[in-house]
mmCIF file of all heavy atoms in Angstrom:
data_model
loop_
_atom_site.group_PDB
_atom_site.id
_atom_site.type_symbol
_atom_site.label_atom_id
_atom_site.label_comp_id
_atom_site.label_asym_id
_atom_site.label_seq_id
_atom_site.Cartn_x
_atom_site.Cartn_y
_atom_site.Cartn_z
ATOM 1 N N SER A 1070 140.229 90.620 147.138
ATOM 2 C CA SER A 1070 140.712 89.288 147.370
ATOM 3 C C SER A 1070 139.714 88.252 146.787
ATOM 4 O O SER A 1070 140.062 87.427 145.994
ATOM 5 C CB SER A 1070 140.855 89.006 148.873
ATOM 6 O OG SER A 1070 141.175 87.687 149.077
ATOM 7 N N THR A 1071 138.524 88.378 147.210
ATOM 8 C CA THR A 1071 137.431 87.514 146.795
ATOM 9 C C THR A 1071 136.140 88.270 147.098
ATOM 10 O O THR A 1071 136.144 89.340 147.689
ATOM 11 C CB THR A 1071 137.469 86.144 147.487
ATOM 12 O OG1 THR A 1071 136.566 85.258 146.811
ATOM 13 C CG2 THR A 1071 137.121 86.215 148.919
ATOM 14 N N ARG A 1072 135.049 87.724 146.743
ATOM 15 C CA ARG A 1072 133.749 88.431 146.890
ATOM 16 C C ARG A 1072 133.578 88.876 148.340
ATOM 17 O O ARG A 1072 133.552 88.098 149.252
ATOM 18 C CB ARG A 1072 132.667 87.477 146.473
ATOM 19 C CG ARG A 1072 131.305 88.117 146.431
ATOM 20 C CD ARG A 1072 130.304 87.177 145.910
ATOM 21 N NE ARG A 1072 129.018 87.800 145.851
ATOM 22 C CZ ARG A 1072 127.900 87.168 145.449
ATOM 23 N NH1 ARG A 1072 127.939 85.874 145.136
ATOM 24 N NH2 ARG A 1072 126.766 87.815 145.367
ATOM 25 N N GLY A 1073 133.457 90.193 148.523
ATOM 26 C CA GLY A 1073 133.192 90.757 149.832
ATOM 27 C C GLY A 1073 134.424 90.979 150.671
ATOM 28 O O GLY A 1073 134.264 91.536 151.792
ATOM 29 N N LEU A 1074 135.594 90.655 150.223
ATOM 30 C CA LEU A 1074 136.838 90.853 151.018
ATOM 31 C C LEU A 1074 137.889 91.474 150.175
ATOM 32 O O LEU A 1074 138.086 91.132 149.036
ATOM 33 C CB LEU A 1074 137.340 89.497 151.542
ATOM 34 C CG LEU A 1074 136.473 88.738 152.547
ATOM 35 C CD1 LEU A 1074 137.060 87.342 152.782
ATOM 36 C CD2 LEU A 1074 136.314 89.515 153.837
ATOM 37 N N ASP A 1075 138.591 92.434 150.801
ATOM 38 C CA ASP A 1075 139.685 93.077 150.064
ATOM 39 C C ASP A 1075 141.054 92.570 150.526
ATOM 40 O O ASP A 1075 141.155 91.759 151.479
ATOM 41 C CB ASP A 1075 139.597 94.588 150.143
ATOM 42 C CG ASP A 1075 139.811 95.158 151.541
ATOM 43 O OD1 ASP A 1075 140.489 94.531 152.359
ATOM 44 O OD2 ASP A 1075 139.348 96.291 151.800
ATOM 45 N N LEU A 1076 142.069 93.013 149.889
ATOM 46 C CA LEU A 1076 143.441 92.575 150.163
ATOM 47 C C LEU A 1076 143.847 92.851 151.601
ATOM 48 O O LEU A 1076 144.459 92.013 152.258
ATOM 49 C CB LEU A 1076 144.391 93.282 149.184
ATOM 50 C CG LEU A 1076 145.877 92.951 149.331
ATOM 51 C CD1 LEU A 1076 146.126 91.461 149.113
ATOM 52 C CD2 LEU A 1076 146.661 93.745 148.310
ATOM 53 N N ASP A 1077 143.429 93.996 152.140
ATOM 54 C CA ASP A 1077 143.771 94.301 153.530
ATOM 55 C C ASP A 1077 143.122 93.354 154.513
ATOM 56 O O ASP A 1077 143.742 93.001 155.523
ATOM 57 C CB ASP A 1077 143.384 95.760 153.842
ATOM 58 C CG ASP A 1077 144.197 96.740 153.072
ATOM 59 O OD1 ASP A 1077 145.361 96.494 152.754
ATOM 60 O OD2 ASP A 1077 143.629 97.848 152.751
ATOM 61 N N GLN A 1078 141.917 92.965 154.255
ATOM 62 C CA GLN A 1078 141.188 92.051 155.140
ATOM 63 C C GLN A 1078 141.719 90.636 155.043
ATOM 64 O O GLN A 1078 141.832 89.941 156.069
ATOM 65 C CB GLN A 1078 139.682 92.042 154.778
ATOM 66 C CG GLN A 1078 138.989 93.350 155.030
ATOM 67 C CD GLN A 1078 137.668 93.412 154.371
ATOM 68 O OE1 GLN A 1078 137.488 93.111 153.181
ATOM 69 N NE2 GLN A 1078 136.619 93.773 155.133
ATOM 70 N N GLN A 1079 142.039 90.171 153.836
ATOM 71 C CA GLN A 1079 142.377 88.784 153.603
ATOM 72 C C GLN A 1079 143.915 88.547 153.614
ATOM 73 O O GLN A 1079 144.353 87.457 153.964
ATOM 74 C CB GLN A 1079 141.797 88.312 152.277
ATOM 75 C CG GLN A 1079 141.823 86.838 152.059
ATOM 76 C CD GLN A 1079 140.875 86.076 152.948
ATOM 77 O OE1 GLN A 1079 140.042 86.623 153.660
ATOM 78 N NE2 GLN A 1079 141.026 84.786 152.986
ATOM 79 N N GLY A 1080 144.636 89.532 153.195
ATOM 80 C CA GLY A 1080 146.098 89.413 153.160
ATOM 81 C C GLY A 1080 146.680 88.875 151.862
ATOM 82 O O GLY A 1080 147.878 88.811 151.680
ATOM 83 N N PHE A 1081 145.781 88.484 150.934
ATOM 84 C CA PHE A 1081 146.194 87.983 149.659
ATOM 85 C C PHE A 1081 145.017 88.024 148.695
ATOM 86 O O PHE A 1081 143.884 88.260 149.154
ATOM 87 C CB PHE A 1081 146.754 86.528 149.752
ATOM 88 C CG PHE A 1081 145.741 85.570 150.349
ATOM 89 C CD1 PHE A 1081 144.865 84.856 149.514
ATOM 90 C CD2 PHE A 1081 145.663 85.335 151.692
ATOM 91 C CE1 PHE A 1081 143.943 83.943 150.057
ATOM 92 C CE2 PHE A 1081 144.793 84.435 152.238
ATOM 93 C CZ PHE A 1081 143.893 83.754 151.411
ATOM 94 N N ILE A 1082 145.274 87.836 147.427
ATOM 95 C CA ILE A 1082 144.211 87.796 146.401
ATOM 96 C C ILE A 1082 144.002 86.362 145.986
ATOM 97 O O ILE A 1082 144.942 85.724 145.554
ATOM 98 C CB ILE A 1082 144.498 88.744 145.259
ATOM 99 C CG1 ILE A 1082 144.541 90.199 145.756
ATOM 100 C CG2 ILE A 1082 143.501 88.554 144.129
ATOM 101 C CD1 ILE A 1082 144.862 91.213 144.700
ATOM 102 N N HIS A 1083 142.786 85.904 146.107
ATOM 103 C CA HIS A 1083 142.509 84.492 145.718
ATOM 104 C C HIS A 1083 142.549 84.381 144.191
ATOM 105 O O HIS A 1083 141.987 85.169 143.457
ATOM 106 C CB HIS A 1083 141.048 84.125 146.141
ATOM 107 C CG HIS A 1083 140.922 83.830 147.577
ATOM 108 N ND1 HIS A 1083 141.109 82.557 148.067
ATOM 109 C CD2 HIS A 1083 140.568 84.608 148.606
ATOM 110 C CE1 HIS A 1083 140.906 82.592 149.401
ATOM 111 N NE2 HIS A 1083 140.578 83.819 149.722
ATOM 112 N N CYS A 1084 143.233 83.324 143.754
ATOM 113 C CA CYS A 1084 143.311 82.965 142.350
ATOM 114 C C CYS A 1084 143.049 81.473 142.211
ATOM 115 O O CYS A 1084 142.959 80.785 143.189
ATOM 116 C CB CYS A 1084 144.696 83.345 141.773
ATOM 117 S SG CYS A 1084 145.007 85.081 141.766
ATOM 118 N N ALA A 1085 142.977 81.029 140.964
ATOM 119 C CA ALA A 1085 142.736 79.627 140.705
ATOM 120 C C ALA A 1085 143.447 79.217 139.446
ATOM 121 O O ALA A 1085 143.722 80.085 138.571
ATOM 122 C CB ALA A 1085 141.251 79.367 140.616
ATOM 123 N N PHE A 1086 143.693 77.921 139.318
ATOM 124 C CA PHE A 1086 144.177 77.352 138.043
ATOM 125 C C PHE A 1086 142.931 76.946 137.283
ATOM 126 O O PHE A 1086 141.845 76.796 137.829
ATOM 127 C CB PHE A 1086 145.034 76.161 138.338
ATOM 128 C CG PHE A 1086 146.360 76.515 138.995
ATOM 129 C CD1 PHE A 1086 146.614 76.037 140.285
ATOM 130 C CD2 PHE A 1086 147.317 77.250 138.337
ATOM 131 C CE1 PHE A 1086 147.840 76.348 140.890
ATOM 132 C CE2 PHE A 1086 148.481 77.587 138.934
ATOM 133 C CZ PHE A 1086 148.792 77.129 140.236
ATOM 134 N N PRO A 1087 143.076 76.777 135.975
ATOM 135 C CA PRO A 1087 141.895 76.459 135.117
ATOM 136 C C PRO A 1087 141.098 75.278 135.640
ATOM 137 O O PRO A 1087 139.819 75.320 135.618
ATOM 138 C CB PRO A 1087 142.491 76.169 133.752
ATOM 139 C CG PRO A 1087 143.707 77.015 133.731
ATOM 140 C CD PRO A 1087 144.251 76.960 135.151
ATOM 141 N N HIS A 1088 141.712 74.238 136.137
ATOM 142 C CA HIS A 1088 140.955 73.049 136.580
ATOM 143 C C HIS A 1088 140.154 73.307 137.863
ATOM 144 O O HIS A 1088 139.234 72.560 138.222
ATOM 145 C CB HIS A 1088 141.880 71.838 136.770
ATOM 146 C CG HIS A 1088 142.791 71.975 137.965
ATOM 147 N ND1 HIS A 1088 144.021 72.620 137.857
ATOM 148 C CD2 HIS A 1088 142.667 71.509 139.199
ATOM 149 C CE1 HIS A 1088 144.614 72.555 139.023
ATOM 150 N NE2 HIS A 1088 143.852 71.917 139.882
ATOM 151 N N GLN A 1089 140.422 74.391 138.552
ATOM 152 C CA GLN A 1089 139.716 74.753 139.791
ATOM 153 C C GLN A 1089 138.584 75.790 139.568
ATOM 154 O O GLN A 1089 137.741 75.960 140.411
ATOM 155 C CB GLN A 1089 140.692 75.391 140.810
ATOM 156 C CG GLN A 1089 141.830 74.478 141.201
ATOM 157 C CD GLN A 1089 142.877 75.212 141.955
ATOM 158 O OE1 GLN A 1089 143.335 76.315 141.537
ATOM 159 N NE2 GLN A 1089 143.324 74.637 143.057
ATOM 160 N N LEU A 1090 138.586 76.380 138.400
ATOM 161 C CA LEU A 1090 137.744 77.515 138.149
ATOM 162 C C LEU A 1090 136.250 77.259 138.285
ATOM 163 O O LEU A 1090 135.517 78.019 138.939
ATOM 164 C CB LEU A 1090 138.042 78.074 136.762
ATOM 165 C CG LEU A 1090 137.549 79.443 136.446
ATOM 166 C CD1 LEU A 1090 138.152 80.478 137.413
ATOM 167 C CD2 LEU A 1090 137.816 79.823 135.036
ATOM 168 N N GLU A 1091 135.761 76.168 137.740
ATOM 169 C CA GLU A 1091 134.327 75.892 137.788
ATOM 170 C C GLU A 1091 133.848 75.748 139.229
ATOM 171 O O GLU A 1091 132.825 76.265 139.621
ATOM 172 C CB GLU A 1091 134.019 74.630 137.011
ATOM 173 C CG GLU A 1091 132.519 74.336 136.951
ATOM 174 C CD GLU A 1091 132.191 73.096 136.119
ATOM 175 O OE1 GLU A 1091 133.098 72.504 135.491
ATOM 176 O OE2 GLU A 1091 131.000 72.772 136.062
ATOM 177 N N GLY A 1092 134.587 75.038 140.049
ATOM 178 C CA GLY A 1092 134.199 74.853 141.450
ATOM 179 C C GLY A 1092 134.183 76.128 142.203
ATOM 180 O O GLY A 1092 133.305 76.384 142.985
ATOM 181 N N VAL A 1093 135.208 76.972 142.014
ATOM 182 C CA VAL A 1093 135.268 78.270 142.689
ATOM 183 C C VAL A 1093 134.113 79.152 142.262
ATOM 184 O O VAL A 1093 133.435 79.751 143.077
ATOM 185 C CB VAL A 1093 136.627 78.960 142.368
ATOM 186 C CG1 VAL A 1093 136.627 80.422 142.934
ATOM 187 C CG2 VAL A 1093 137.765 78.169 142.998
ATOM 188 N N ALA A 1094 133.875 79.221 140.961
ATOM 189 C CA ALA A 1094 132.782 80.039 140.429
ATOM 190 C C ALA A 1094 131.427 79.572 141.000
ATOM 191 O O ALA A 1094 130.609 80.419 141.457
ATOM 192 C CB ALA A 1094 132.761 80.013 138.901
ATOM 193 N N ASN A 1095 131.192 78.279 141.016
ATOM 194 C CA ASN A 1095 129.906 77.802 141.524
ATOM 195 C C ASN A 1095 129.748 78.031 143.033
ATOM 196 O O ASN A 1095 128.686 78.399 143.513
ATOM 197 C CB ASN A 1095 129.762 76.299 141.229
ATOM 198 C CG ASN A 1095 129.552 76.058 139.749
ATOM 199 O OD1 ASN A 1095 129.025 76.899 139.029
ATOM 200 N ND2 ASN A 1095 129.884 74.850 139.287
ATOM 201 N N ARG A 1096 130.817 77.846 143.760
ATOM 202 C CA ARG A 1096 130.735 77.995 145.211
ATOM 203 C C ARG A 1096 130.584 79.401 145.700
ATOM 204 O O ARG A 1096 129.812 79.669 146.599
ATOM 205 C CB ARG A 1096 132.017 77.375 145.852
ATOM 206 C CG ARG A 1096 131.991 77.424 147.362
ATOM 207 C CD ARG A 1096 133.111 76.675 147.987
ATOM 208 N NE ARG A 1096 133.029 76.752 149.400
ATOM 209 C CZ ARG A 1096 133.952 76.335 150.240
ATOM 210 N NH1 ARG A 1096 135.038 75.753 149.779
ATOM 211 N NH2 ARG A 1096 133.817 76.473 151.542
ATOM 212 N N PHE A 1097 131.323 80.335 145.085
ATOM 213 C CA PHE A 1097 131.348 81.715 145.598
ATOM 214 C C PHE A 1097 130.575 82.705 144.770
ATOM 215 O O PHE A 1097 130.254 83.778 145.231
ATOM 216 C CB PHE A 1097 132.791 82.170 145.736
ATOM 217 C CG PHE A 1097 133.577 81.385 146.742
ATOM 218 C CD1 PHE A 1097 134.463 80.429 146.349
ATOM 219 C CD2 PHE A 1097 133.386 81.569 148.093
ATOM 220 C CE1 PHE A 1097 135.204 79.686 147.267
ATOM 221 C CE2 PHE A 1097 134.067 80.822 149.033
ATOM 222 C CZ PHE A 1097 134.988 79.874 148.626
ATOM 223 N N TYR A 1098 130.304 82.351 143.496
ATOM 224 C CA TYR A 1098 129.634 83.305 142.589
ATOM 225 C C TYR A 1098 128.443 82.709 141.875
ATOM 226 O O TYR A 1098 128.022 83.238 140.860
ATOM 227 C CB TYR A 1098 130.660 83.841 141.603
ATOM 228 C CG TYR A 1098 131.835 84.540 142.189
ATOM 229 C CD1 TYR A 1098 133.022 83.856 142.459
ATOM 230 C CD2 TYR A 1098 131.790 85.875 142.472
ATOM 231 C CE1 TYR A 1098 134.112 84.462 143.024
ATOM 232 C CE2 TYR A 1098 132.870 86.519 143.039
ATOM 233 C CZ TYR A 1098 134.019 85.801 143.310
ATOM 234 O OH TYR A 1098 135.115 86.449 143.837
ATOM 235 N N GLY A 1099 127.876 81.629 142.399
ATOM 236 C CA GLY A 1099 126.798 80.950 141.696
ATOM 237 C C GLY A 1099 125.564 81.809 141.448
ATOM 238 O O GLY A 1099 124.798 81.529 140.505
ATOM 239 N N ASP A 1100 125.351 82.787 142.248
ATOM 240 C CA ASP A 1100 124.164 83.655 142.086
ATOM 241 C C ASP A 1100 124.435 84.916 141.283
ATOM 242 O O ASP A 1100 123.554 85.725 141.066
ATOM 243 C CB ASP A 1100 123.647 84.065 143.463
ATOM 244 C CG ASP A 1100 124.662 84.899 144.229
ATOM 245 O OD1 ASP A 1100 125.851 84.655 144.103
ATOM 246 O OD2 ASP A 1100 124.220 85.812 144.976
ATOM 247 N N VAL A 1101 125.640 85.053 140.767
ATOM 248 C CA VAL A 1101 126.015 86.257 139.977
ATOM 249 C C VAL A 1101 125.889 85.977 138.495
ATOM 250 O O VAL A 1101 126.342 84.989 137.999
ATOM 251 C CB VAL A 1101 127.488 86.692 140.328
ATOM 252 C CG1 VAL A 1101 127.869 87.882 139.556
ATOM 253 C CG2 VAL A 1101 127.639 86.867 141.793
ATOM 254 N N VAL A 1102 125.250 86.917 137.820
ATOM 255 C CA VAL A 1102 124.973 86.766 136.392
ATOM 256 C C VAL A 1102 126.183 87.125 135.534
ATOM 257 O O VAL A 1102 126.497 86.422 134.588
ATOM 258 C CB VAL A 1102 123.756 87.607 135.979
ATOM 259 C CG1 VAL A 1102 123.534 87.544 134.457
ATOM 260 C CG2 VAL A 1102 122.542 87.146 136.715
ATOM 261 N N GLU A 1103 126.876 88.175 135.902
ATOM 262 C CA GLU A 1103 128.034 88.669 135.071
ATOM 263 C C GLU A 1103 129.301 88.648 135.915
ATOM 264 O O GLU A 1103 129.356 89.284 136.969
ATOM 265 C CB GLU A 1103 127.746 90.036 134.535
ATOM 266 C CG GLU A 1103 128.799 90.539 133.583
ATOM 267 C CD GLU A 1103 128.490 91.918 133.020
ATOM 268 O OE1 GLU A 1103 127.424 92.467 133.318
ATOM 269 O OE2 GLU A 1103 129.309 92.439 132.287
ATOM 270 N N LEU A 1104 130.304 87.993 135.384
ATOM 271 C CA LEU A 1104 131.610 87.940 136.013
ATOM 272 C C LEU A 1104 132.698 88.187 134.981
ATOM 273 O O LEU A 1104 132.446 87.990 133.771
ATOM 274 C CB LEU A 1104 131.881 86.560 136.631
ATOM 275 C CG LEU A 1104 131.014 86.200 137.815
ATOM 276 C CD1 LEU A 1104 131.202 84.688 138.165
ATOM 277 C CD2 LEU A 1104 131.320 87.032 139.044
ATOM 278 N N LEU A 1105 133.851 88.577 135.445
ATOM 279 C CA LEU A 1105 135.007 88.732 134.570
ATOM 280 C C LEU A 1105 136.072 87.718 134.977
ATOM 281 O O LEU A 1105 136.199 87.406 136.165
ATOM 282 C CB LEU A 1105 135.600 90.139 134.675
ATOM 283 C CG LEU A 1105 134.684 91.258 134.224
ATOM 284 C CD1 LEU A 1105 135.364 92.609 134.487
ATOM 285 C CD2 LEU A 1105 134.329 91.162 132.738
ATOM 286 N N LEU A 1106 136.815 87.244 134.051
ATOM 287 C CA LEU A 1106 137.899 86.291 134.356
ATOM 288 C C LEU A 1106 139.221 87.030 134.034
ATOM 289 O O LEU A 1106 139.446 87.375 132.864
ATOM 290 C CB LEU A 1106 137.773 85.050 133.523
ATOM 291 C CG LEU A 1106 138.778 83.952 133.818
ATOM 292 C CD1 LEU A 1106 138.667 83.543 135.267
ATOM 293 C CD2 LEU A 1106 138.541 82.746 132.897
ATOM 294 N N LEU A 1107 139.979 87.321 135.064
ATOM 295 C CA LEU A 1107 141.269 88.010 134.872
ATOM 296 C C LEU A 1107 142.371 86.994 134.755
ATOM 297 O O LEU A 1107 142.426 86.059 135.537
ATOM 298 C CB LEU A 1107 141.512 88.923 136.078
ATOM 299 C CG LEU A 1107 140.413 89.965 136.418
ATOM 300 C CD1 LEU A 1107 140.883 90.775 137.608
ATOM 301 C CD2 LEU A 1107 140.048 90.804 135.254
#
């Protein structure tokens, strides 16, 4: 679903539109060096 949570725990998979991406990445993945964008 998102970092540290799976679909069973959260009930859905978090997604974003392009204009939301930077904020989501900074808030939840700011300390991660390598990410993938699906």
Side-chain angles (χ1 to χ4, degrees):
S1070 173
T1071 192
R1072 188 175 183 183
L1074 295 173
D1075 66 26
L1076 179 59
D1077 294 328
Q1078 294 166 309
Q1079 193 69 11
F1081 58 91
I1082 294 179
H1083 283 273
C1084 293
F1086 293 115
H1088 71 275
Q1089 300 169 313
L1090 196 61
E1091 184 177 357
V1093 172
N1095 289 335
R1096 181 172 181 188
F1097 297 103
Y1098 300 94
D1100 63 326
V1101 179
V1102 175
E1103 185 179 356
L1104 294 169
L1105 298 175
L1106 186 59
L1107 306 181

